[in-house]
Amino acid sequence: MIRVLLVHDACLVRSVLAEWLRREPDLEVHDVPGRDAPGRVRTVRPHVCAVDLDSADAFGVPPLAELCVGGADGSKPNLLVIAQANRPGLLKRAAEAGALGYVAKEGSPERLVSAIREVAAGHRFIDDSLGFGFLKAAEMPLTRRELSVLSLAAEGASVAEIAGSLHLSHGTVRNYMAAITRKTGARNRIDAIRISQGEGWL
């Protein structure tokens, strides 16, 4: 039996998808919104975390790293993400978090089932339709930390709030914002957010 933790912030979509997956005799499916996912990982101890990349934690970013923590016996879940090719920033975050599986949102539920089984066995699974998104991700100038800073800024967080959320000093946050502005060719923070959202980095 493969234990699956399905992470999706849209309650209706999550519930319907979870019920569909439960039809499979070899899948034990638990579902949860992004903000509650890290805690459920510790109690469910899933073999696979299937995460919609638009899910977010309390800081507005996908809780990917928190979902890959190991248990007391050293085991940890394999990560599978449900993604879109036009969001290369999220694809890059998933790759840096060690995701094994990448399923396109436009695909069929059967593709998700196949991906879950492959990822549970430790194999990589990538939908061909996400290839362009990976190419765009490879061209992104921003680092994972810079993306985290900019994501919080895009949510309206102040320098102090960003610093507190990411455990950084105020000066370090300002340095990151300066680097982001330079790398994106923006005039200021608002312009950097606009450019990044237009490119699908956020």
Side-chain angles (χ1 to χ4, degrees), residues 3-170:
R3 286 192 304 277
V4 180
L5 183 64
L6 176 65
V7 182
H8 201 299
D9 281 347
C11 182
L12 178 60
V13 175
R14 184 179 72 246
S15 299
V16 170
L17 187 53
E19 283 304 313
W20 197 94
L21 291 173
R22 288 185 182 115
R23 298 177 184 177
E24 301 298 319
D26 60 334
L27 301 184
E28 176 190 321
V29 181
H30 304 260
D31 61 281
V32 66
R35 66 181 178 278
D36 299 328
R40 288 295 296 278
V41 166
R42 291 187 287 272
T43 57
V44 172
R45 296 180 63 193
H47 300 107
V48 176
C49 285
V51 185
D52 174 71
L53 277 184
D54 287 321
S55 300
D57 61 13
F59 304 126
V61 296
L64 300 179
E66 295 90 337
L67 298 181
C68 297
V69 295
D73 59 356
S75 63
K76 64 178 184 177
N78 290 331
L79 181 62
L80 182 156
V81 297
I82 305 167
Q84 295 172 288
N86 64 352
R87 302 292 301 280
L90 294 177
L91 284 172
K92 183 174 184 178
R93 286 188 185 199
E96 290 175 340
L100 279 181
Y102 301 82
V103 178
K105 284 192 177 186
E106 297 79 11
S108 68
E110 289 83 6
R111 291 288 287 173
L112 178 57
V113 172
S114 297
I116 287 171
R117 290 177 177 140
E118 287 293 309
V119 169
H123 302 149
R124 189 170 291 280
F125 185 102
I126 302 175
D127 264 335
D128 292 341
S129 60
L130 295 175
F132 178 72
F134 279 105
L135 288 174
K136 292 285 287 181
E139 297 170 353
M140 282 182 53
L142 303 181
T143 66
R144 178 173 57 180
R145 180 61 87 181
E146 288 165 350
L147 283 171
S148 295
V149 169
L150 192 59
S151 293
L152 290 171
E155 294 289 326
S158 66
V159 168
E161 289 168 334
I162 295 171
S165 297
L166 300 180
H167 308 291
L168 302 171
S169 70
H170 292 194

Side-chain angles (χ1 to χ4, degrees), residues 151-194:
S151 293
L152 290 171
E155 294 289 326
S158 66
V159 168
E161 289 168 334
I162 295 171
S165 297
L166 300 180
H167 308 291
L168 302 171
S169 70
H170 292 194
T172 299
V173 172
R174 292 191 185 93
N175 289 340
Y176 276 127
M177 286 306 309
I180 290 165
T181 302
R182 183 181 70 255
K183 288 181 177 181
T184 57
R187 296 185 299 275
N188 50 42
R189 178 165 82 165
I190 302 301
D191 196 31
I193 292 169
R194 179 189 61 78

